Amino acid sequence: MSNIYESAEATLGFISSPCLTKVELRVACRGISDRDALSKPDPCVVLKMQSHGQWFEVDRTEVIRSSSGPIFSKIFLVDYYFEEVQRLRFELHDISSGNNGLRDADFLGAMECTLGQIVSQRKLTKALLKQGNTAGKSSITVTAEELSGNDDYVELSFSARKLDDKDFFSKSDPFLEIFRVNDDGTESLVHRTETVMNNLSPVWKSFKVSLNTLCSGNHDRELKCTVWDWDSNGKHDFIGEFQTTFKEVRTEQDGKQIQWECINPKYQIKKKNYRNSGMVILNHCKIIKMYSFLDYIMGGCQIQFTVAIDFTASNGDPRNSCSLHYIHPYQPNEYLKALVAVGEICQDYDSDKMFPAFGFGALIPPDFKVSHDFAVNFDEDNPECAGIQGVVEAYQNCLPKIQLYGPTNIAPIIQKVASSASEEMHTKEAMEYFILLILTDGVITDMADTREAIVHASHLPMSVIIVGVGNADFTDMQILDGDDGILRSPKGEPVLRDIVQFVPFKDFKHASPAALAKSVLAEVPNQVVDYYNAKGIKPKCTLDYESTRTFSP
């Protein structure tokens, strides 16, 4: 069955964006009822994935004979995309002896969930539902583990002594190059140090490089190191070279100093008493653990999802069918489409499924003063709604009670969420990351204050997603999305990191909700990782998890 998933990708178009990571799913079942009084069942689990509303088989476990509590050795390997709702279905079948097909098998139950639910909990146990969705005594447990990548870094520093002097009127100006030798024999430059002028015993600056770049995760891969005497005309003089591996370099961590003879092969042949052209010394080797998005999610980090909705007059009277806020009995408006598409993804990563929802740009009861950060449920002490459906209901209920007004100011709502994110920042733990979804129909009117708020928020565990609803000209909004350049505050302070993603809904009007969500959320995993890694904050519960992530030898 090893090629089933690949063929499903090609045929059904499961995969249409770069894969975030690969996840291994391990499956076990308990309490499977006997097929009859004489024998125990012969269980097999079939994994199906949903595409275009239909279920397709991706892979299946082996058949375990005579077991009511099987632990399957087969591991399902699936591609994981944060920005998609990946619906999975695990079907348990009792395979009759001597026949591994499903045609004559007895259906014992099924469990449906999303991949996001599994990875956010790391271990998901649910009842197996039989025909008619009735729950029996049997259950299934799915455990997720991110496939360990070569995403760690290593910090290295080198020095040399008694290098050959290549210059007549001064000493050599040496620099060091490190190459990775690839499987096909070609060489890839990994790092080139700076040049130390007029020095036969240079100390080069330390540098960081990913293990993937250094050795493709293979610690026995040959590394070729060459030392040169720099010349301003680019015709550098060769001093010598040596070979090593990362496995050898790593031994420096044990306190053992490593050095290599720098050899010039030509001198070795020509000169009888030639020993070397100097020594190169490894001064420092430190492995720097780089954690992934799933490391943080599986370590207990929750995505705190907040919604902010534009209630300015430019949307049109909600009672008019031309209004962007018009509630059609059969067709959700653009605000609802965008809210549900993005919210469905984020809710899998929030354990309590309670989402604060705010409005801006409306006159609100009882005194009908304009507000730019009012609770959509009108409960300022508790603006949270139960699930995405609760946000939808609060939005629909509030429309008849407010008066659409203006202007379109979004800085207040960014500052409100930033205040919560600021409290989380002081814990110095990866427990809560905040995503603010702003749904708006027009160009914002407080651009200077908004830029200031975003620059401040870029220092916090927070991302801002803006979806432009309607057909307005959103050119100015692109300024907030740092893809085309660095966003700066009015005072000239740059954002610490790019935290804003702007997407015009009209670009996805005729696409699926999944396509919108994918575009809107594509940058979030990297934003989460960039924040915590930059702060040196490890995932909270890493001890159990790290024990499963071995260094590839």
Side-chain angles (χ1 to χ4, degrees):
M1 305 295 290
S2 59
N3 293 321
I4 286 183
Y5 191 62
E6 287 83 350
S7 63
E9 289 177 13
T11 309
L12 306 169
F14 278 126
I15 311 306
S16 53
S17 67
C19 173
L20 176 64
T21 189
K22 288 186 180 292
V23 176
E24 292 179 340
L25 301 179
R26 291 173 168 80
V27 183
C29 298
R30 295 188 66 180
I32 303 174
S33 56
D34 293 349
R35 182 175 47 194
D36 55 50
L38 299 176
S39 64
K40 290 183 176 180
D42 301 326
C44 167
V45 171
V46 175
L47 171 62
K48 293 185 176 181
M49 206 175 247
Q50 194 177 69
S51 178
H52 308 301
Q54 290 184 288
W55 293 105
F56 296 89
E57 180 175 341
V58 171
D59 211 343
R60 63 177 73 174
T61 67
E62 75 277 23
V63 177
I64 296 183
R65 299 297 175 190
S66 301
S67 177
S68 56
I71 299 174
F72 298 96
S73 62
K74 167 73 179 181
I75 297 172
F76 295 132
L77 181 63
V78 296
D79 289 337
Y80 165 72
Y81 303 86
F82 168 76
E83 65 272 17
E84 290 185 22
V85 175
Q86 293 174 269
R87 301 193 187 281
L88 305 180
R89 177 179 170 89
F90 296 86
E91 291 182 357
L92 180 66
H93 296 270
D94 181 4
I95 306 292
S96 58
S97 297
N99 180 8
N100 286 341
L102 297 182
R103 181 175 297 175
D104 299 321
D106 291 329
F107 173 77
L108 300 179
M111 183 271 282
E112 294 181 15
C113 63
T114 67
L115 185 55
Q117 289 169 334
I118 300 172
V119 300
S120 63
Q121 298 182 42
R122 288 177 56 191
K123 181 182 284 188
L124 178 68
T125 300
K126 293 181 74 172
L128 285 163
L129 301 181
K130 297 184 177 180
Q131 302 286 6
N133 287 336
T134 57
K137 296 179 180 179
S138 57
S139 65
I140 185 169
T141 298
V142 184
T143 306
E145 180 183 331
E146 183 184 7
L147 194 64
S148 180
N150 305 311
D151 48 4
D152 296 327
Y153 277 69
V154 60
E155 185 176 72
L156 299 167
S157 67
F158 293 88
S159 62
R161 68 171 183 266
K162 296 183 179 179
L163 294 175
D164 284 353
D165 194 351
K166 295 290 184 178
D167 295 338
F168 290 112
F169 303 110
S170 64
K171 295 175 182 176
S172 293
D173 308 317
F175 66 91
L176 171 70
E177 289 183 330
I178 301 174
F179 293 87
R180 181 186 74 220
V181 180
N182 300 315
D183 292 336
D184 60 0
T186 59
E187 298 173 359
S188 300
L189 179 65
V190 170
H191 182 75
R192 179 183 292 117
T193 70
E194 78 284 3
T195 300
V196 178
M197 304 300 288
N198 196 30
N199 195 326
L200 299 181
S201 296
V203 178
W204 292 291
K205 292 178 183 176
S206 65
F207 62 93
K208 294 177 184 175
V209 62
S210 74
L211 280 180
N212 191 54
T213 299
L214 181 65
C215 59
S216 303
N218 178 0
H219 294 197
D220 290 313
R221 184 179 297 279
E222 182 181 329
L223 303 174
K224 180 181 176 182
C225 306
T226 55
V227 181
W228 299 85
D229 169 32
W230 178 84
D231 278 335
S232 57
N233 62 7
K235 296 180 179 179
H236 312 306
D237 296 315
F238 178 71
I239 294 177
E241 65 185 18
F242 62 94
Q243 284 76 37
T244 185
T245 64
F246 181 62
K247 188 174 184 179
E248 182 180 20
V249 168
R250 278 188 67 190
T251 60
E252 192 275 339
Q253 291 186 107
D254 303 327
K256 174 187 172 186
Q257 189 183 56
I258 305 170
Q259 57 184 20
W260 299 270
E261 288 186 303
C262 192
I263 302 295
N264 185 324
K266 288 183 179 178
Y267 290 176
Q268 220 174 15
I269 295 169
K270 290 180 180 179
K271 297 183 179 181
K272 282 188 176 180
N273 297 325
Y274 176 77
R275 293 183 62 189
N276 57 57
S277 295
M279 302 295 292
V280 175
I281 302 108
L282 174 65
N283 297 326
H284 172 72
C285 172
K286 179 184 177 185
I287 294 170
I288 302 167
K289 179 71 186 167
M290 296 297 289
Y291 295 100
S292 71
F293 176 68
L294 284 192
D295 285 329
Y296 288 104
I297 293 298
M298 290 178 166
C301 184
Q302 296 286 311
I303 298 295
Q304 298 295 338
F305 181 58
T306 302
V307 181
I309 301 172
D310 182 340
F311 290 110
T312 54
S314 55
N315 284 281
D317 187 339
R319 293 169 294 185
N320 188 317
S321 61
C322 296
S323 170
L324 291 168
H325 281 304
Y326 179 69
I327 303 299
H328 193 282
Y330 307 113
Q331 181 68 30
N333 62 36
E334 290 187 11
Y335 278 96
L336 287 174
K337 285 179 181 176
L339 167 63
V340 172
V342 178
E344 268 203 336
I345 305 286
C346 293
Q347 69 180 358
D348 282 344
Y349 303 91
D350 189 323
S351 60
D352 66 4
K353 304 288 188 288
M354 299 297 291
F355 306 118
F358 297 95
F360 58 92
L363 303 175
I364 63 169
D367 51 10
F368 285 91
K369 289 182 179 178
V370 68
S371 173
H372 298 292
D373 58 355
F374 66 92
V376 174
N377 64 3
F378 299 113
D379 185 348
E380 297 299 330
D381 295 327
N382 182 18
E384 294 187 329
C385 304
I388 297 304
Q389 187 57 37
V391 178
V392 170
E393 291 170 2
Y395 161 74
Q396 292 174 327
N397 290 337
C398 99
L399 274 171
K401 301 173 184 175
I402 61 174
Q403 183 179 335
L404 274 56
Y405 201 64
T408 309
N409 293 350
I410 65 172
I413 190 65
I414 295 175
Q415 292 162 350
K416 183 184 279 277
V417 176
S419 177
S420 299
S422 182
E423 293 177 18
E424 163 67 11
M425 182 182 72
H426 295 309
T427 66
K428 292 185 170 55
E429 291 184 341
M431 289 306 294
E432 292 182 319
Y433 190 92
F434 293 79
I435 294 179
L436 169 60
L437 171 65
I438 299 175
L439 306 172
T440 179
D441 83 313
V443 179
I444 60 175
T445 48
D446 62 341
M447 182 62 82
D449 289 344
T450 296
R451 284 162 51 201
E452 183 81 45
I454 289 170
V455 168
H456 170 68
S458 71
H459 293 260
L460 305 173
M462 176 176 170
S463 294
V464 180
I465 296 165
I466 304 173
V467 177
V469 176
N471 295 312
D473 181 2
F474 291 109
T475 306
D476 288 348
M477 299 290 267
Q478 303 288 356
I479 297 170
L480 302 178
D481 191 327
D483 291 347
D484 299 326
I486 297 174
L487 176 72
R488 295 179 181 272
S489 73
K491 299 172 186 172
E493 182 188 354
V495 287
L496 183 66
R497 56 196 185 90
D498 178 16
I499 64 165
V500 177
Q501 175 78 341
F502 172 75
V503 176
F505 186 84
K506 60 188 175 187
D507 291 356
F508 295 88
K509 227 171 186 177
H510 304 295
S512 68
L516 171 68
K518 189 186 302 184
S519 176
V520 166
L521 295 170
E523 295 181 13
V524 168
N526 284 337
Q527 289 170 353
V528 173
V529 169
D530 288 349
Y531 174 78
Y532 288 120
N533 276 333
K535 294 283 185 182
I537 298 174
K538 297 180 179 180
K540 187 157 172 58
C541 309
T542 57
L543 292 178
D544 294 340
Y545 189 38
E546 281 190 345
S547 66
T548 67
R549 289 171 55 93
T550 56
F551 242 100
S552 355

